[in-house]
Amino acid sequence: MNIMDHLPALVIAIPLLTAFLTPLIDRVSRKARNAVVFIALALTFILAILLVQDVFDNGIQIYVMGASSTTQTIPTQAAVPIRIVLEIDGLSAFMVLISVLISLLGLIYSFSDIKERGGRFYTLFLLMLVGMLGMELTGDLFNLFVFLEVTSIAAAALIAYEFRRGSTSEAALKYIIISSIGALFVLFSIGLLYGEYDLLNMAAIAQAMQSTHIDKIALVLLFSAFALKAGAAPMHMWLPDAYGEAPGAISMVLIPTTAASMYALFRVCFTIYNESLHAIIPAVIIIFGLLSIFIGVTMALVQDDIKRLISFAAVAEVGYILLAMGVGLYGFLNSEEYTVTALRGGMFHLFNDVLDIGLLFLVAGGVIYATGERSLNKLGGLAHSMKYTSVLFLVGLAAAAGLPPMNGFASKIIIYESVYKVSPILSIIAILASIMMLAVFIKIFQAVFTGPKLTECREVPKPMLASMIALAALIIFFGLFPDMVIEHLVDPAVNALMNYGAYIQAVMGVGT
Amino acid sequence: MSDEKMSVIVQTIAGMLFPMVLIFSFYVILHGHLTPGGGFQGGAIGASAVALLIVAYGSKTIEKKMAEENLSIFESLGGLVFVIVAIAGFILASAFLSNFLVGEPLFGQIPGWGESPLNSGGFLPILNIAVGMKVIGGLSAIVLMLALVSREVKEQ
């Protein structure tokens, strides 16, 4: 048994095992529980890095569940057409890297943030990670649905975690209803595709795709479900509630879960339907993107609750990604030369969005931790007592607003450049919204950190600071060396999006 | 009813039915690889037995006998068994979740045409038992919590 052959399964299995182990260890000792959870997540992180490295070096990795050989996708004797497969290409690897990185930082933050009922918190936390990783690793449409449900249920419970504030229950109820509707859409469309092709494997469906009317209905259902779960306006109504009411680090870890839904959206558009996609889909994605940018920024300006404000900014960031990916998809269908630039901008911005908005959520969580207050009107003068936090907030502010030395600038400039080629109006709206975003964050900074000292409070504990500093370091690093990041992380993902033939070949080419 | 309990007749019948419902639940779980049903269905039947006791004896009595925490532990054990068996798939055989018990004396018999011996299915019965444990524990804990919470709300 070579451990390297089983990396894809282990990346899912280790957090899953630890999730069920946590409540048992919690009975014995809290310190032991924290240690076990941390070790398990660090191990997952290392294995995920090895897996990502493997994918970037050697191309698409296939892992067949329960088979006599882990690469034999099509069984020789049985009547099943294709086994249940994990398929990891550059795009999946990119998403996995984001998910494990953010979860690890969120876990370190939670060690000092979460005080009561920790056993359940870490179980749910790990289950949410399992769901995200499963969505990103799987090559099977039905497994995608199952992992989507795992993510949604764990996330809903985590949003309602501070249940003594009534509004958290409302947010969680909204989230679970919206998620169930989305999941039903996905299930229904899987049923349609299965009825038509007798297949559930994404690569196999992509190969058999004939663009009948049934396929188009399935596409509409899949598209709307994943756009809903990704928080694209006008279906963003659950997102500010969910992000705003979740406890500190969970707001940050929810961003990769919505990113996982976005990944599923891209997988459906670029890989399953690829060139048979109707030309209206990229236009719809671009419109959703513009709406998200506009609604996100304007709604953020009028918010009073610090976390709700950042949540609306997160909607706007989703809009930037969708705008770039919509333009990329348009270029992909018409073989334009700006396709690669647009996709590069979109994927790079996806990573940057998670880092920037994640850092802002951690700072907001730190402010709430230190003062117990969420309203901008009642906060003020925190820079006197929370020096490090306010500097870190400035880093996040500059990054999310797209100011030059930070990573947000690097990806936004690529987006402006590429969408300009489709229509200058698109990039003008994007730039204007970016300026308004700066205004939004300066409003928070001014209201929370500057001014006379209003309340006595202390700096946040060291674990919380450590994960914020790690995020800030990544933001500055990405901003200073965008070329390196694009070459080593983003380009493999972009190539995977463009090269759907390789994705199909990896599953269907073996054993036929 | 203020004390939430039902009459002695109901309590006695519920007490007599409880083991029978549990036996049926175990039957559905253990025969999951041969007949309709399986871990989830059998587990749901088992949890309905607990619900029967809660209706008859009141949630407070049942909470004393089987604490919600213990049910959660039982549930976690079920999940743990499932994942460990799945991981054993690639330690003992070829891949994650591969059926390493085929041909072994325990559950390993390969049945002939028309036969359905209990001693077959490889590790499927073990996975069914794990799912059954998880569902009995989880659903019972949910029903118990719902009963306790609705009682609290009534008292306020």
Side-chain angles (χ1 to χ4, degrees):
Chain A
M1 186 196 85
N2 180 3
I3 202 92
M4 288 298 286
D5 295 342
H6 299 286
L7 277 182
L10 275 176
V11 167
I12 297 180
I14 289 176
L16 190 61
L17 183 73
T18 321
F20 295 131
L21 210 57
T22 318
L24 302 181
I25 302 174
D26 187 48
R27 297 287 290 250
V28 184
S29 142
R30 290 189 171 190
K31 277 192 179 155
R33 174 201 72 201
N34 285 0
V36 166
V37 173
F38 179 74
I39 290 169
L41 207 51
L43 191 63
T44 315
F45 183 71
I46 294 167
L47 292 177
I49 299 246
L50 288 175
L51 174 67
V52 169
Q53 190 63 43
D54 201 15
V55 171
F56 286 170
D57 289 347
N58 306 324
I60 297 177
Q61 300 287 309
I62 294 278
Y63 187 88
V64 188
M65 293 284 192
S68 49
S69 147
T70 51
T71 49
Q72 190 192 21
T73 49
I74 299 171
T76 41
Q77 303 162 352
V80 248
I82 295 162
R83 286 175 173 277
I84 292 174
V85 176
L86 299 180
E87 182 168 12
I88 306 100
D89 65 354
L91 178 63
S92 314
F94 179 74
M95 299 299 300
V96 164
L97 191 64
I98 295 178
S99 301
V100 288
L101 175 72
I102 295 297
S103 299
L104 187 64
L105 294 177
L107 183 80
I108 296 170
Y109 186 93
S110 297
F111 280 145
S112 41
D113 192 24
I114 299 298
K115 294 196 186 65
E116 49 177 15
R117 306 192 311 286
R120 278 173 206 179
F121 179 85
Y122 294 115
T123 304
L124 291 166
F125 188 97
L126 289 166
L127 281 177
M128 189 160 85
L129 175 65
V130 168
M132 277 190 263
L133 291 175
M135 280 176 77
E136 290 152 5
L137 291 175
T138 188
D140 187 278
L141 207 49
F142 192 78
N143 274 17
L144 183 73
F145 162 74
V146 172
F147 283 118
L148 180 74
E149 282 281 57
V150 171
T151 320
S152 309
I153 292 169
L158 283 172
I159 291 165
Y161 195 73
E162 294 167 346
F163 64 90
R164 287 183 214 291
R165 278 189 300 124
S167 47
T168 55
S169 309
E170 189 199 329
L173 191 65
K174 205 183 230 180
Y175 181 82
I176 198 77
I177 290 171
I178 295 283
S179 298
S180 314
I181 293 171
L184 276 178
F185 276 26
V186 174
L187 186 62
F188 188 64
S189 59
I190 291 173
L192 289 177
L193 290 173
Y194 184 66
E196 192 179 4
Y197 299 116
D198 263 356
L199 291 169
L200 285 172
N201 187 282
M202 294 199 274
I205 295 177
Q207 196 183 40
M209 181 57 63
Q210 287 161 348
S211 305
T212 57
H213 280 297
I214 293 178
D215 291 336
K216 283 175 189 157
I217 296 170
L219 172 65
V220 169
L221 289 170
L222 285 172
F223 180 87
S224 35
F226 288 131
L228 174 82
K229 289 283 293 167
M235 298 176 287
H236 67 288
M237 63 290 186
W238 59 270
L239 195 144
D241 282 5
Y243 283 18
E245 298 296 338
I250 296 305
S251 300
M252 176 174 79
V253 187
L254 280 172
I255 307 174
T257 67
T258 46
S261 300
M262 239 183 285
Y263 157 83
L265 181 67
F266 302 149
R267 182 62 84 203
V268 167
C269 291
F270 282 90
T271 306
I272 298 185
Y273 283 83
N274 54 64
E275 278 162 13
S276 65
L277 202 66
H278 196 282
I280 200 161
I281 294 291
V284 173
I285 297 183
I286 292 173
I287 292 170
F288 279 7
L290 286 179
L291 265 179
S292 308
I293 294 175
F294 185 72
I295 293 180
V297 171
T298 44
M299 287 300 287
L301 273 172
V302 297
Q303 296 304 317
D304 174 45
D305 182 321
I306 177 167
K307 286 191 87 169
R308 230 179 132 73
L309 197 157
I310 301 172
S311 314
F312 274 107
V315 174
E317 296 285 336
V318 168
Y320 279 101
I321 301 165
L322 288 178
L323 175 65
M325 298 311 282
V327 169
L329 188 58
Y330 180 78
F332 172 71
L333 294 179
N334 299 308
S335 322
E336 307 272 5
E337 89 279 12
Y338 55 76
T339 313
V340 179
T341 328
L343 293 178
R344 200 180 269 161
M347 294 319 288
F348 191 22
H349 197 68
L350 199 152
F351 207 150
N352 292 342
D353 159 47
V354 177
L355 294 177
D356 304 348
I357 300 290
L359 176 59
L360 291 173
F361 270 132
L362 289 193
V363 172
V367 167
I368 295 170
Y369 177 88
T371 61
E373 187 55 66
R374 312 165 68 90
S375 164
L376 291 181
N377 293 333
K378 292 178 188 155
L379 287 163
L382 289 184
H384 292 286
S385 37
M386 299 170 79
K387 281 182 271 214
Y388 298 109
T389 314
S390 41
V391 172
L392 287 166
F393 186 83
L394 269 181
V395 173
L397 176 158
L403 292 184
M406 306 300 176
N407 61 355
F409 173 73
S411 54
K412 275 184 180 169
I413 197 88
I414 303 175
I415 295 178
Y416 301 150
E417 197 185 323
S418 57
V419 301
Y420 185 83
K421 296 200 174 130
V422 175
S423 160
I425 297 174
L426 296 181
S427 52
I428 291 171
I429 296 177
I431 292 172
L432 279 180
S434 191
I435 296 168
M436 276 165 80
M437 189 96 98
L438 184 63
V440 168
F441 287 127
I442 286 185
K443 175 185 159 187
I444 308 188
F445 187 74
Q446 189 265 338
V448 176
F449 292 103
T450 60
K453 208 172 189 173
L454 286 185
T455 42
E456 278 303 318
C457 63
R458 279 185 292 162
E459 184 62 86
V460 292
K462 284 201 182 76
M464 289 165 89
L465 267 185
S467 51
M468 288 193 245
I469 288 171
L471 275 177
L474 276 174
I475 287 175
I476 293 170
F477 177 79
F478 278 27
L480 292 180
F481 306 101
D483 287 356
M484 219 160 105
V485 179
I486 287 178
E487 192 190 330
H488 290 107
L489 289 177
V490 179
D491 272 357
V494 172
N495 290 337
L497 273 175
M498 307 266 293
N499 195 353
Y500 60 91
Y503 190 87
I504 298 173
Q505 180 67 25
V507 171
M508 304 306 290
V510 185
T512 42
Chain B
M1 260 168 287
S2 57
D3 60 348
E4 227 198 353
K5 285 181 188 174
M6 297 186 87
S7 68
V8 181
I9 300 171
V10 179
Q11 288 188 5
T12 316
I13 301 286
M16 284 161 71
L17 275 177
F18 179 69
M20 292 187 206
V21 179
L22 272 190
I23 288 170
F24 180 58
S25 146
F26 295 154
Y27 163 78
V28 173
I29 292 174
L30 275 179
H31 285 246
H33 56 299
L34 302 170
T35 53
F40 185 85
Q41 290 82 348
I45 295 169
S48 74
V50 178
L52 180 73
L53 287 190
I54 292 173
V55 172
Y57 288 90
S59 49
K60 261 204 166 155
T61 326
I62 303 300
E63 165 69 18
K64 269 179 213 151
K65 294 267 179 198
M66 41 174 114
E68 183 262 335
E69 273 188 6
N70 293 339
L71 289 171
S72 298
I73 298 275
F74 193 63
E75 185 199 353
S76 305
L77 275 177
L80 215 53
V81 170
F82 194 104
V83 184
I84 288 172
V85 169
I87 289 178
F90 75 71
I91 294 175
L92 299 174
S94 51
F96 192 71
L97 266 177
S98 65
N99 199 334
F100 58 90
L101 281 178
V102 171
E104 304 288 322
L106 178 73
F107 293 125
Q109 193 186 333
I110 299 165
W113 181 254
E115 295 173 3
S116 55
L118 190 60
N119 180 22
S120 64
F123 72 171
L124 289 184
I126 301 179
L127 294 187
N128 269 330
I129 293 168
V131 175
M133 282 167 74
K134 189 152 178 53
V135 175
I136 291 185
L139 276 184
S140 307
I142 291 171
V143 173
L144 189 57
M145 280 315 284
L146 283 178
L148 285 171
V149 169
S150 65
R151 184 193 167 95
E152 262 176 39
V153 172
K154 259 185 222 160
E155 279 170 2
Q156 275 167 8

